[in-house]
Amino acid sequence: GNGLVHRRMFLMAGTAAAASIASAALPNPAAADALQVEPWMKLPGSGFVGYGQPSKYEDKVVRTWNTAPGTIGTGTSRTPHHLLDGMITPNGLHFERHHSGIPDINPDTHRLLIHGLVKRPLIFTLETLARYPMESRIAFIECGGNGQLLYQKEPAQVGVQQIHGQVSCAEWTGVKLAVLLQEAGVDPKAKWILAEGADAAGMSRSIPMEKVMDDALVALYQNGEHVRPANGYPMRLLLPGYEGNMNVKWLRRIKATESPTMTKDETSKYTITLPDGKSLQFVLPQEGKSVITRPSPGLTMKEPGLYEISGLAWSGYGKINKVEVSADGGKSWAAAALQQPVLPKALTRFRMAWQWNGGPAVLQSRAIDDTGYVQPTREQMIAKRGTRTIFHSNAITTWSISDKGEVKHVYA
Ligand SMILES: Nc1nc2c(c(=O)[nH]1)N[C@H]1C(S)=C(S)[C@@H](COP(=O)(O)O)O[C@H]1N2
Ligand SMILES: [Mo]
């Protein structure tokens, strides 16, 4: 409905549909004569640099943040998803969430201690750790508070960066925590671990042993380079699909325990307060979710014609199976094309061709994962959870398009 084009259109070269994409380029009968010899073709370009930076013309592609007055680096910075494409977040644009700023850790003196219910407590240096077999996996990290603006009564007049910018996706490389715990001789009585960071917040969380043994990684590298200081240098815990908060950065201590430790961040925070005042604790995976990143607020549509609707989908339960897009506020839905690779617990890029007729439209996307979980509407989410919590907000986000092409956040 309302101009959505079947996803197989992308595969049909030479059809009328493909021809109408070409009309989005500037029509020019004397195409070859239109190319100028530009100034940068008349002189050699600049030389080499040690560490490359994006083009100076891309200086608007930045994280944004608001920190409370009197705090330094405490708060969150957000990824500009409306200005990116693909599934990987560049390291310099990975969102950041610090409870007490970024510690300046000397990698030579940093230690990782494994103790508690183990036969042999062990201390690792960065060097000894790097001698264990490493593996890589692409995974998203999403703050449990991402999307919390959707719990508000009125739709916040902001865009995808401010609403959903606390999710990013990278290739993480490191040593499986299961290997290190086996090395320490973990006691079968240990059903949880405590993970603690080396920042001034000493942030710590309890993690079920099942998850630890399944896919927890002590990550040393992020998209091929050492983990950035903001993201946990020299090592962080990666728990694919679990609440961002549990992915403890600047990891310095793992303690095997019989039961959860009940740390500050799993009692006073990162719990879901229900309408009746009771709280859900240890709601650990981030549920299935998606958002249209283009078009989205701040990206104004130009003339009517063929456009691509594009966005991101992810689920802490597994792989994205399907993303459906609506251009009429949820009255009709069509399946979007999923861009390969589609990986479990990683951001998945979806695309949908759309013939915009220049009239009003209401865009939505809905993710369905391989466990059958369907992303809820905002109404469904609030019916289940109420509005006393700020966590695990995964409802469908709605963008309205006006006949002037302006994109606005609305509630359906
Ligand atoms: N040691 C420590 N680990 C931490 C935090 C912190 O403040 N200190 N913040 C947590 C929170 S709330 C989130 S959402 C993620 C954010 O990871 P990122 O900053 O790499 O995006 O790290 C988690 N790990
Ligand atoms: Mo978080």
Side-chain angles (χ1 to χ4, degrees):
N2 203 10
L4 296 181
V5 181
H6 196 278
R7 69 188 193 282
R8 276 209 295 274
M9 191 216 73
F10 284 120
L11 307 174
M12 299 188 291
T15 63
S20 66
I21 298 180
S23 74
L26 293 177
N28 190 331
D33 300 338
L35 276 187
Q36 307 285 317
V37 176
E38 302 283 359
W40 48 82
M41 297 182 71
K42 296 178 180 167
L43 283 172
S46 61
F48 305 101
V49 293
Y51 197 102
Q53 296 298 320
S55 159
K56 67 181 182 203
Y57 300 107
E58 300 299 324
D59 62 351
K60 300 277 186 314
V61 186
V62 290
R63 294 180 290 215
T64 52
W65 62 92
N66 16 38
T67 48
T71 63
I72 301 164
T74 299
T76 184
S77 74
R78 296 173 164 85
T79 300
H81 286 298
H82 57 307
L83 303 175
L84 301 177
D85 209 315
M87 65 186 288
I88 297 289
T89 311
N91 288 342
L93 296 175
H94 196 286
F95 87 96
E96 306 161 279
R97 172 81 181 91
H98 320 306
H99 290 77
S100 206
I102 305 167
D104 179 13
I105 295 179
N106 178 344
D108 298 334
T109 56
H110 184 78
R111 298 288 179 270
L112 172 64
L113 166 67
I114 299 192
H115 70 149
L117 292 173
V118 296
K119 279 203 198 75
R120 296 178 289 150
L122 295 173
I123 286 192
F124 296 90
T125 64
L126 205 56
E127 231 169 77
T128 53
L129 200 57
R131 284 166 56 184
Y132 284 82
M134 290 208 248
E135 49 187 77
S136 297
R137 90 169 276 170
I138 296 174
F140 73 79
I141 295 179
E142 181 181 28
C143 180
N146 196 33
Q148 61 184 265
L149 285 171
L150 293 186
Y151 284 118
Q152 284 188 5
K153 233 190 166 92
E154 298 300 328
Q157 285 317 296
V158 289
V160 68
Q161 181 167 21
Q162 188 63 27
I163 304 174
H164 297 293
Q166 287 171 279
V167 62
S168 303
C169 185
E171 183 208 48
W172 303 94
T173 302
V175 184
K176 281 196 105 174
L177 184 49
V179 171
L180 302 177
L181 279 166
Q182 275 152 15
E183 188 87 333
V186 65
D187 190 320
K189 278 207 298 284
K191 297 286 179 258
W192 291 74
I193 63 160
L194 170 76
E196 179 188 73
D199 51 342
M203 223 218 65
S204 54
R205 284 293 300 260
S206 306
I207 301 138
M209 190 60 84
E210 226 183 0
K211 174 68 176 174
V212 171
M213 290 307 183
D214 177 22
D215 60 0
L217 198 69
V218 177
L220 306 176
Y221 293 85
Q222 175 182 2
N223 291 330
E225 63 182 358
H226 280 286
V227 169
R228 290 279 173 103
N231 305 109
Y233 183 85
M235 61 183 77
R236 84 171 304 159
L237 190 59
L238 178 75
L239 299 173
Y242 271 30
E243 249 177 14
N245 185 259
M246 304 174 74
N247 293 251
V248 172
K249 303 191 280 189
W250 315 297
L251 184 66
R252 69 168 217 139
R253 191 161 72 95
I254 298 285
K255 185 181 182 188
T257 59
E258 243 171 293
S259 43
T261 302
M262 300 300 185
T263 69
K264 166 175 70 68
D265 279 272
E266 59 206 18
T267 52
S268 73
K269 292 195 197 88
Y270 299 98
T271 61
I272 297 176
T273 307
L274 296 171
D276 65 3
K278 286 194 180 144
S279 279
L280 299 175
Q281 245 179 334
F282 302 112
V283 178
L284 306 182
Q286 293 291 115
E287 299 83 351
K289 181 167 170 181
S290 70
V291 64
I292 293 170
T293 55
R294 197 177 58 239
S296 66
L299 304 176
T300 305
M301 308 278 296
K302 302 219 169 78
E303 67 286 340
L306 192 62
Y307 285 83
E308 186 191 70
I309 295 172
S310 174
L312 294 167
W314 63 99
S315 171
Y317 297 137
K319 233 189 230 187
I320 290 298
N321 232 2
K322 192 175 186 186
V323 177
E324 295 174 321
V325 171
S326 176
D328 55 16
K331 286 205 253 332
S332 68
W333 297 88
L338 299 186
Q339 179 173 290
Q340 296 298 326
V342 177
L343 301 174
K345 305 169 190 176
L347 292 188
T348 297
R349 173 66 56 180
F350 65 87
R351 303 181 189 280
M352 175 102 219
W354 181 39
Q355 187 73 44
W356 181 46
N357 63 13
V362 180
L363 300 185
Q364 297 185 318
S365 66
R366 169 166 78 188
I368 299 152
D369 72 16
D370 64 355
T371 69
Y373 182 88
V374 182
Q375 182 182 7
T377 63
R378 184 174 167 275
E379 245 172 28
Q380 288 166 338
M381 179 178 81
I382 287 175
K384 201 169 145 202
R385 293 251 180 84
T387 54
R388 290 182 71 176
T389 184
I390 58 165
F391 296 115
H392 288 257
S393 170
N394 70 322
I396 290 171
T397 297
T398 309
W399 308 134
S400 84
I401 315 258
S402 75
D403 52 10
K404 292 188 185 65
E406 273 152 6
V407 190
K408 249 182 83 167
H409 179 215
V410 297
Y411 289 156

